[in-house]
Amino acid sequence: FSSSTITSANYTINDPDYSGGKGGQFGNGAPRISISGNYIVAGDYNYSSAQGIAYVFDISTFSSSTITSANYILTNPNIRGVDDFDRFGMSVAINGNKIAVGSREQSTGGSTNDGVVYVYDISNFSSSVISSADFSMDNPDYGGSNDGGDFHGDHIGISQDYVAVGARYEDSPFTQAGAIYIYDVSNGNLL
């Protein structure tokens, strides 16, 4: 910076619009953008009928001030087999090589909108399009209500060995009380 007032960015990252899926919510809001070291992760939960997508950018590879493509594209692993409205990329977090992506409206165990979180290790990426995660974390459903709609993965944070996952509408101990689950980032075990 050469002055106290900065009027332009060093880089502008545009929506890569992978495969013409048109989302419209690329990086919309703090939960959908995360940065660690040289990596930026941005989610687009509205991509392709709200199936969702996430993009990973490596700042060290930027060769112009306007960035129009991602280094890595994380497509929805869709482990439950429902094609639309999973909202994969609703929340993203990165710390070092670990990336977590929330798919808050993915149905699990017969419950709609229960939510799934996917974890990736960048050092395992072997191509630019990644269609499966290293592992996933289903909603543990604290209190056992199994009524769905918990939005597990609505917000995510990663620090060192831990992933914190918010389930915004968990119904224990009372309706829509919410819950936060802490997992081991290396294997997805609920702690």
Side-chain angles (χ1 to χ4, degrees):
F1 294 170
S2 59
S3 73
S4 59
T5 303
I6 308 305
T7 59
S8 62
N10 294 68
Y11 302 105
T12 301
I13 302 174
N14 292 332
D15 185 344
D17 190 25
Y18 172 68
S19 197
K22 301 205 184 315
Q25 298 297 322
F26 172 73
N28 175 6
R32 289 164 275 294
I33 305 169
S34 187
I35 185 169
S36 178
N38 286 336
Y39 291 108
I40 298 171
V41 180
D44 184 345
Y45 63 89
N46 252 2
Y47 172 85
S48 187
S49 299
Q51 185 175 10
I53 199 164
Y55 301 100
V56 181
F57 303 89
D58 182 345
I59 296 170
S60 69
T61 66
F62 290 0
S63 59
S64 71
S65 60
T66 302
I67 309 305
T68 58
S69 61
N71 296 80
Y72 302 104
I73 298 160
L74 310 179
T75 62
N76 185 350
N78 203 14
I79 62 170
R80 299 294 171 228
V82 178
D83 290 333
D84 297 331
F85 304 106
D86 289 344
R87 306 262 189 232
F88 176 80
M90 177 59 76
S91 57
V92 297
I94 183 170
N95 187 34
N97 284 339
K98 300 291 186 178
I99 298 172
V101 180
S103 189
R104 77 169 194 190
E105 295 177 36
Q106 194 162 91
S107 300
T108 63
S111 299
T112 59
N113 299 334
D114 229 17
V116 175
V117 174
Y118 297 97
V119 176
Y120 304 83
D121 186 329
I122 294 172
S123 63
N124 292 336
F125 290 177
S126 59
S127 69
S128 61
V129 178
I130 310 301
S131 58
S132 61
D134 291 313
F135 55 86
S136 62
M137 300 175 295
D138 281 346
N139 183 358
D141 196 28
Y142 172 72
S145 61
N146 200 31
D147 59 353
D150 291 346
F151 283 6
H152 178 256
D154 190 49
H155 286 78
I156 303 169
I158 298 179
S159 181
Q160 297 176 358
D161 299 329
Y162 306 103
V163 179
V165 177
R168 178 180 185 176
Y169 294 127
E170 171 57 55
D171 287 331
S172 290
F174 50 86
T175 302
Q176 296 186 353
I180 298 171
Y181 301 102
I182 310 297
Y183 298 90
D184 184 325
V185 74
S186 67
N187 56 24
N189 289 341
L190 179 64
L191 301 174

